[in-house]
C-alpha cells in the first residue's frame, strides 16, 4: 500500500514538473518566434525596415554602443533616476499615509484634494516641475516620484484603516501609545498592501522618468528614444525600448523577491 | 475591601442618527482571587462591560475602581483575552508572547525567561520559534493566554476565549485556563454565552438582561462545584440542577424580549 502511494506521489510530482516545462517551453518559443518573424518580415520587406528596424540591426547597434560605452551611461542614468523616483514616491506616499492615519482631522480635510490630485495626469505637471526645479535630473526624479506618490498615499492609507480592530485592541490592552500601536501593529499588518503598491509603482516610475527625459534631458533611455525619433533612427528607439523592458522586468522581480521575504507569514 | 468595584456604571454609544444604551446601572464588586462569569442573551452588552473594565472604553456615567483607583485607561494590572487568539501572524510565538512586555518597556532577560517558562508550562516549549499559522487553534489560544499572563496582570478579562474552538479542545482548555488562573491566584472575569462553561469555571455567575444590559440575577456557585476542575464539575450531580436554574432564568428573559 505504502509503495503504491509513493509511486502515485512520484507520478503527481512528475506531472507538475512536466506542466511547468511546457509553460516555459511555450513562453520561450513565443519569444523566439517574435524575433524570427520580426527579422524575416524586415528582410522580406513585409514591414518597412526603416521604421521597424530588425533584430540583427538592433543587436549590432547594441554591440557598438557597448563598445563605445554610451549605452551603459544612458542606461545607468535612467535606471538610477527610476530607482530614486520609485523609492522616493513609495516612501513619501507611505509617510503621508501614516500622517493621515494619525490624524483623522487631516485625512478629512485632505480627502477632496487627494481625489483631485489622484485623477490629475501627473505628467501634465512636467513643465511646471522643470520651471521649478530646473531642467535636470532633479525634475526627472521628481516626475518619477510624483506619479506614484498620490496613489501610494491612498492605497496605503486605506490599508492602515482596514487593520483588524481586534489586533489594535490587543496592543492597546497592554497600554500601547498611538505610536507603539502604529509601529508594532498597523504598519506590519499592512505589508501586503504596501508590497502591492510597490509593484504598481515600478511601472509608474518608469513612465514618469521616461516622460521626464522626453521633456528635458541630454542623457538617458528616454532621451535616446526622442533623439532616435527625431533623426529617424528607429533601430536606436527599438534598442532603448528593449533595454527598458529588460530592466523593468528585473526591477519587478526584485519586488517579488521582497514580497516573498516580507509577507510569507501574513496568511493566517 | 473589594478588588474591583463597579458603581452605577452606564454606557451609551452615540452615532449621527441614533443612540444606543448598551448597559444601564450596573453595580457589583469582585474580591481578589474570585472568578466571575457574565452571561446573557446575545447583544446584552457583555463585551461592552468587559471593555469598560479594561479601560479601553470609558463609561458614560458611573465609576469603576480597581484596587481603589478609578480606571481611566488600560492599565498593566489587567490582561485581556479575545474570542480568537489574534496572535500577530508576522511574529514568532516568542515575539508574540513578549510583545506586551516590550510595549510596556519591561522586556528584560528575566521577564523574557519567565514568559518562556510559562510557555513551557502550557506545553508549547517546542513552538517558541514557530509562526502562529504553524499551530493548531487550541495551541494558538494557549499562546494567547501566555501573552496575556506574561505581563503579570492581576485581573484577567476573558472575552469568550473558547468560543472559536472545537468542543474537545474547548473542554481541555477550560481545565487548563482554570488551573493556571487558580495556580497564579489571579482574579478573572469571563464573558461567555455558554451556561455550562460559566457554571463550572466560576465562583459567581452574573446574568445580564437584554438591551440595555442590566443585572438580572447573580448566582453563587456552591462550594462542591467550585472546588472541582471544570471537566469534573460538569459530571457532578449538582451541575444539572444549576444548569436548569440558569436556563429557566435565561428563557424567561427571552420571553420578555
Amino acid at each position: 500500500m505504502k509503495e503504491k502511494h509513493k509511486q502515485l506521489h512520484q507520478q503527481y510530482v512528475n506531472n507538475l514538473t512536466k506542466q511547468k516545462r511546457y509553460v516555459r517551453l511555450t513562453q520561450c518559443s513565443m519569444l523566439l518566434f517574435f524575433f524570427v518573424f520580426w527579422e524575416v518580415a524586415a528582410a522580406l520587406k513585409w514591414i518597412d525596415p526603416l521604421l521597424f528596424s530588425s533584430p540583427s540591426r538592433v543587436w549590432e547597434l547594441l554591440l557598438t554602443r557597448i563598445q563605445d560605452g554610451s549605452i551603459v551611461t544612458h542606461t545607468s542614468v535612467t535606471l538610477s533616476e527610476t530607482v530614486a523616483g520609485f523609492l522616493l514616491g513609495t516612501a513619501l506616499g507611505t509617510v503621508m499615509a501614516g500622517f493621515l492615519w494619525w490624524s483623522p482631522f487631516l485625512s478629512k480635510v485632505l480627502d477632496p484634494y487627494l481625489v483631485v490630485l489622484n485623477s490629475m495626469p501627473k505628467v501634465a505637471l512636467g513643465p511646471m516641475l522643470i520651471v521649478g526645479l530646473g531642467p535636470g535630473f532633479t525634475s526627472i526624479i521628481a516626475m518619477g516620484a510624483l506619479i506614484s506618490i498620490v496613489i501610494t498615499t491612498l492605497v496605503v492609507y486605506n490599508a492602515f484603516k482596514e487593520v483588524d480592530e481586534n489586533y489594535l485592541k490587543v496592543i492597546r490592552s497592554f497600554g500601547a501609545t498611538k505610536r507603539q500601536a502604529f509601529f508594532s501593529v498597523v504598519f506590519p499588518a499592512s505589508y501586503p498592501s504596501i508590497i502591492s503598491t510597490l509593484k504598481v509603482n515600478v511601472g509608474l516610475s518608469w513612465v514618469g522618468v521616461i516622460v521626464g527625459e522626453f521633456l528635458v534631458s541630454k542623457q538617458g533611455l528616454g532621451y535616446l528614444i526622442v533623439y532616435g525619433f527625431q533623426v529617424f533612427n528607429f533601430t536606436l528607439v527599438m534598442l532603448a525600448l528593449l533595454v527598458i523592458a529588460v530592466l523593468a522586468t528585473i526591477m519587478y522581480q526584485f519586488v517579488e523577491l521582497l514580497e516573498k521575504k516580507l509577507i510569507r507569514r501574513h496568511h493566517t | 475591601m473589594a478588588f474591583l468595584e463597579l458603581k452605577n456604571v452606564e454606557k451609551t454609544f452615540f452615532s449621527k442618527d441614533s443612540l444606543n444604551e448598551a448597559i444601564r446601572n450596573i453595580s457589583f464588586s469582585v474580591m481578589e482571587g474570585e472568578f466571575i462569569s457574565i452571561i446573557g442573551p446575545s447583544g446584552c452588552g457583555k463585551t461592552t462591560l468587559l471593555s469598560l473594565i479594561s479601560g479601553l472604553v470609558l463609561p458614560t456615567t458611573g465609576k469603576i475602581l480597581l484596587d481603589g483607583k478609578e480606571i481611566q485607561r488600560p492599565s498593566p494590572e489587567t490582561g485581556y483575552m479575545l474570542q480568537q487568539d489574534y496572535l500577530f501572524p508576522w511574529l514568532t510565538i516568542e515575539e508574540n508572547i513578549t510583545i506586551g512586555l516590550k510595549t510596556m518597556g519591561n522586556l528584560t532577560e528575566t521577564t523574557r525567561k519567565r514568559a518562556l517558562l510559562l510557555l513551557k508550562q502550557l506545553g508549547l516549549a517546542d513552538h517558541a520559534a514557530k509562526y502562529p499559522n504553524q499551530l493548531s487553534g487550541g495551541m494558538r489560544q494557549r499562546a494567547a493566554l501566555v501573552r496575556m499572563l506574561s505581563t503579570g496582570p492581576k485581573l484577567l478579562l476573558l472575552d469568550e476565549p473558547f468560543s472559536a474552538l472545537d468542543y474537545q479542545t474547548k473542554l481541555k482548555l477550560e481545565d487548563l485556563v482554570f488551573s493556571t488562573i487558580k495556580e497564579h491566584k489571579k482574579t478573572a472575569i469571563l464573558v461567555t454565552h455558554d451556561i455550562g462553561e460559566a457554571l463550572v469555571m466560576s465562583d459567581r455567575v452574573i446574568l445580564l438582561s437584554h438591551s440595555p444590559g442590566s443585572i438580572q440575577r447573580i448566582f453563587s456557585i456552591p462550594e462542591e462545584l467550585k472546588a472541582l476542575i471544570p471537566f469534573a464539575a460538569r459530571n457532578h450531580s449538582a451541575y444539572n440542577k444549576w444548569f436548569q436554574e440558569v436556563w429557566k432564568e435565561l428563557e424567561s428573559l427571552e420571553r420578555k424580549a
Side-chain angles (χ1 to χ4, degrees), chain A residues 164 166 169 172 180 188 265 267, chain B residues 74 86 89-90 103 131 133:
Chain A
D164 194 327
N166 286 309
K169 213 169 175 179
R172 281 204 202 109
Q180 284 175 319
R265 296 292 173 200
H267 311 287
Chain B
Y86 286 104
W90 56 89
T103 305
Y131 284 87
N133 65 355

Side-chain angles (χ1 to χ4, degrees), chain B residues 1-250:
Chain B
M1 201 186 82
F3 178 59
L4 174 75
E5 206 172 355
L6 283 81
K7 291 180 180 169
N8 306 316
V9 173
E10 315 211 334
K11 178 70 191 173
T12 307
F13 291 106
F14 300 101
S15 71
K16 197 177 154 200
D17 32 37
S18 72
L19 90 188
N20 170 23
E21 192 179 6
I23 55 176
R24 177 192 290 172
N25 196 21
I26 291 203
S27 304
F28 66 88
S29 49
V30 181
M31 306 307 282
E32 189 147 17
E34 220 181 347
F35 196 123
I36 304 284
S37 286
I38 299 173
I39 59 171
S42 54
C44 71
K46 294 176 294 216
T47 299
T48 306
L49 193 53
L50 218 53
S51 299
L52 287 168
I53 297 171
S54 75
L56 288 166
V57 179
L58 295 177
T60 313
T61 58
K63 270 188 186 176
I64 304 175
L65 303 172
L66 179 67
D67 242 348
K69 274 177 293 183
E70 190 170 350
I71 296 176
Q72 305 275 17
R73 63 185 68 81
S75 96
E77 306 276 280
T78 44
Y80 202 107
M81 195 165 163
L82 295 156
Q83 287 169 18
Q84 280 165 45
D85 54 79
Y86 286 104
L87 294 171
F88 301 115
W90 56 89
L91 298 179
T92 61
I93 297 301
E94 181 178 337
E95 290 165 332
N96 260 297
I97 60 167
T98 50
I99 196 158
L101 292 166
K102 206 170 145 192
T103 305
M104 292 176 183
N106 266 340
L107 185 58
T108 61
E109 199 47 39
T110 333
T111 53
R112 198 180 68 88
K113 284 229 172 84
R114 204 189 307 141
L116 285 173
L117 182 71
L118 211 56
L119 196 67
K120 193 177 163 194
Q121 283 167 358
L122 293 189
L124 293 171
D126 301 336
H127 304 289
K130 288 189 182 162
Y131 284 87
N133 65 355
Q134 293 169 289
L135 268 58
S136 70
M139 287 158 109
R140 295 174 58 140
Q141 199 57 298
R142 271 186 276 161
L145 179 66
V146 176
R147 177 173 63 184
M148 177 181 65
L149 292 173
S150 67
T151 55
K154 286 189 189 157
L155 173 67
L156 309 180
L157 304 173
L158 312 167
D159 188 0
E160 303 191 30
F162 312 114
S163 61
L165 302 170
D166 60 89
Y167 194 64
Q168 212 178 350
T169 313
K170 170 188 150 98
L171 291 184
K172 280 189 197 157
L173 217 60
E174 277 177 13
D175 283 3
L176 185 71
V177 169
F178 180 84
S179 40
T180 310
I181 286 176
K182 290 288 170 219
E183 186 192 332
H184 293 264
K185 300 195 173 56
K186 305 283 186 192
T187 313
I189 301 181
L190 169 75
V191 158
T192 179
H193 56 254
D194 180 339
I195 302 171
E197 186 175 290
L199 284 176
V200 297
M201 292 197 68
S202 38
D203 303 319
R204 278 189 294 157
V205 176
I206 297 177
L207 176 65
L208 292 188
S209 66
H210 206 275
S211 49
S214 53
I215 297 181
Q216 174 78 11
R217 202 175 143 183
I218 299 182
F219 300 89
S220 287
I221 306 301
E223 281 305 323
E224 65 219 68
L225 278 184
K226 270 200 275 188
L228 294 171
I229 60 162
F231 192 79
R234 278 182 197 270
N235 293 316
H236 193 275
S237 54
Y239 170 78
N240 253 322
K241 182 179 89 61
W242 280 92
F243 189 94
Q244 291 305 331
E245 180 116 13
V246 180
W247 176 260
K248 261 183 233 150
E249 195 76 38
L250 251 174

Side-chain angles (χ1 to χ4, degrees), chain A residues 9-242:
Chain A
H9 180 242
Q10 192 53 46
Q11 220 168 43
Y12 176 76
V13 172
N14 285 347
N15 259 334
L16 280 185
T17 350
K18 217 180 192 172
Q19 238 173 46
K20 206 171 160 188
R21 220 176 282 151
Y22 275 134
V23 171
R24 284 265 178 259
L25 194 70
T26 317
Q27 285 170 335
C28 289
S29 24
M30 269 173 83
L31 199 66
L32 192 70
F33 176 79
F34 171 74
F35 282 111
V36 169
F37 180 79
W38 184 8
E39 183 70 42
V40 171
L44 298 178
K45 302 265 155 100
W46 295 344
I47 53 172
D48 188 347
L50 194 63
L51 292 180
F52 295 100
S53 188
S54 74
S56 55
R57 283 200 230 175
V58 173
W59 178 248
E60 265 167 48
L61 185 66
L62 177 66
L63 291 181
T64 46
R65 288 296 185 135
I66 287 174
Q67 266 159 8
D68 66 14
S70 62
I71 193 80
V72 182
T73 328
H74 288 295
T75 306
S76 53
V77 165
T78 303
L79 188 64
S80 48
E81 284 165 350
T82 310
V83 171
F86 166 74
L87 293 178
L88 211 63
T90 313
L92 288 178
T94 309
V95 169
M96 195 61 212
F99 280 121
L100 293 181
W101 179 84
W102 192 273
S103 163
F105 177 75
L106 189 68
S107 81
K108 276 180 204 143
V109 170
L110 291 186
D111 181 59
Y113 296 107
L114 283 171
V115 170
V116 171
L117 282 176
N118 187 41
S119 41
M120 177 123 183
K122 260 70 69 181
V123 290
L125 295 173
M128 299 313 296
L129 282 178
I130 292 160
V131 171
L133 299 170
F137 76 107
T138 326
S139 322
I140 299 173
I141 291 175
M143 194 87 144
L146 195 67
I147 204 168
S148 53
I149 197 166
V150 182
I151 189 72
T152 306
T153 306
L154 289 174
V155 173
V156 175
Y157 171 57
N158 257 323
F160 286 168
K161 267 199 311 190
E162 269 157 35
V163 170
D164 194 327
E165 194 56 37
N166 286 309
Y167 284 125
L168 285 166
K169 213 169 175 179
V170 168
I171 200 81
R172 281 204 202 109
S173 76
F174 291 122
T177 60
K178 202 165 183 182
R179 194 191 153 84
Q180 284 175 319
F182 181 78
F183 284 106
S184 38
V185 177
V186 175
F187 191 64
S190 309
Y191 281 167
S193 309
I194 294 174
I195 293 285
S196 65
T197 59
L198 285 185
K199 284 183 174 172
V200 177
N201 290 353
V202 168
L204 286 179
S205 45
W206 277 100
V207 174
V209 165
I210 296 296
V211 171
E213 287 184 348
F214 281 2
L215 291 177
V216 277
S217 71
K218 296 273 168 290
Q219 269 182 326
L221 297 167
Y223 164 75
L224 286 188
I225 293 174
V226 169
Y227 175 78
F229 173 62
Q230 282 165 350
V231 302
F232 235 69
N233 180 355
F234 282 94
T235 310
L236 187 60
V237 176
M238 288 296 179
L239 175 62
L241 283 179
L242 287 175

